């Protein structure tokens, strides 16, 4: 187990989605240890509805050609310079993990499984942050492209929930404000003026 640097609270409130990575590769070992721990997310009925497709090290470099094909519209028509500009978002992360969930035919179970996989993804992002590795949960439209799914070996009845990018960063992005708690909470049995009903 890795040495823990941050408290749970520090990790939760300090984590940022990193959208500008610095190009340093993320070792497969780090990705594996993060996924190993992240699997402790709650999962109703212990269905463990997830699986992962990982591209790290040399394989991430190779995979960038696939990202070019599906993630850069009309890439063949672009100048080399323009293409490299568009590819920056794929070249600078150090690894990527596709989180895939099995889509249960029953709606309740399907939603529970998405929820469990979301908890796992947040776990992974927090564990990475604790190791000084940034992440961004991305859902670009091409994750639903049948040809892209086929390229990754995603089967009918499975859904890609996240293209989870991992990478090192030079600057910590600014925090994005959340809706204040008082705007989203009501207390059962208490009036807005604080008096009991
Ligand atoms: C389900 C989901 C999908 C997301 N998809 C994208 C995406 O496609 N592109 C992107 O830049 N950020 C994406 N994000 C990241 C959010 O933009 C980010 O969490 C939000 O801006 C708040 O920033 P923070 O995570 O640093 O607090 C996604 C987040 C979630 C939860």
């Amino acid at each position: 187990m890795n040495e823990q640097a941050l408290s749970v609270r520090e990790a939760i409130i300090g984590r940022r989605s990193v959208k500008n990575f610095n190009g340093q590769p993320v070792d497969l070992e780090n990705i594996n240890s993060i996924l190993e721990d992240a699997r402790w997310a709650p999962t109703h009925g212990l269905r463990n509805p997830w699986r992962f497709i990982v591209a790290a090290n040399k394989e991430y470099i190779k995979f960038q050609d696939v990202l070019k094909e599906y993630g850069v519209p009309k890439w063949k028509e672009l100048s080399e310079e323009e293409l490299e500009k568009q590819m920056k978002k794929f070249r600078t992360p150090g690894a990527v993990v596709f989180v895939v969930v099995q889509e249960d035919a029953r709606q309740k179970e399907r939603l529970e499984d998405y929820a469990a996989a979301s908890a796992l993804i947040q776990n992974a992002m927090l564990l990475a942050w604790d190791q000084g590795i940034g992440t961004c949960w991305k859902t670009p439209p091409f994750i639903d492209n049948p040809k892209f799914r086929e390229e990754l070996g995603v089967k009918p009845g499975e859904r890609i929930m996240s293209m989870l990018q991992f990478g090192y960063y030079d600057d910590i992005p600014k925090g994005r404000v959340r809706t204040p708690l008082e705007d989203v909470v009501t207390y059962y049995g208490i009036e807005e003026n604080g008096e009991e009903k």
Side-chain angles (χ1 to χ4, degrees), residues 12-19 118 121-122 125 135-141 161-163 165 173-178:
I12 290 172
I13 67 173
R15 181 205 59 83
R16 300 284 174 264
S17 292
V18 174
K19 304 192 185 190
S118 298
I121 294 169
Q122 171 76 344
M125 296 196 295
T135 57
C136 194
W137 179 342
K138 292 212 162 155
T139 49
M161 277 200 59
S162 171
M163 176 172 90
Q165 296 178 318
K174 281 213 180 78
R176 314 279 300 272
V177 289
R178 300 300 199 257

Side-chain angles (χ1 to χ4, degrees), residues 17-49:
S17 292
V18 174
K19 304 192 185 190
N20 291 308
F21 296 100
N22 66 15
Q24 192 185 327
V26 178
D27 283 342
L28 186 55
E29 236 177 42
N30 294 80
I31 300 290
N32 281 339
S33 84
I34 289 166
L35 295 180
E36 187 77 44
D37 294 348
R39 296 171 309 119
W40 285 94
T43 150
H44 195 181
L46 283 181
R47 286 195 291 273
N48 292 261

Side-chain angles (χ1 to χ4, degrees), residues 132-185:
I133 297 169
T135 57
C136 194
W137 179 342
K138 292 212 162 155
T139 49
F142 64 81
I143 59 176
D144 294 320
N145 179 325
K147 286 196 182 131
F148 180 76
R149 286 169 52 96
E150 200 182 317
E151 176 76 41
L152 282 190
V154 175
K155 300 180 202 85
E158 290 185 320
R159 185 175 181 83
I160 301 175
M161 277 200 59
S162 171
M163 176 172 90
L164 191 55
Q165 296 178 318
F166 290 76
Y168 293 94
Y169 50 89
D170 296 326
D171 303 307
I172 297 180
K174 281 213 180 78
R176 314 279 300 272
V177 289
R178 300 300 199 257
T179 309
L181 180 63
E182 63 261 30
D183 292 1
V184 292
V185 70

Side-chain angles (χ1 to χ4, degrees), residues 120-136:
L120 179 145
I121 294 169
Q122 171 76 344
N123 280 353
M125 296 196 295
L126 295 176
L127 288 160
W129 193 251
D130 191 40
Q131 294 187 22
I133 297 169
T135 57
C136 194

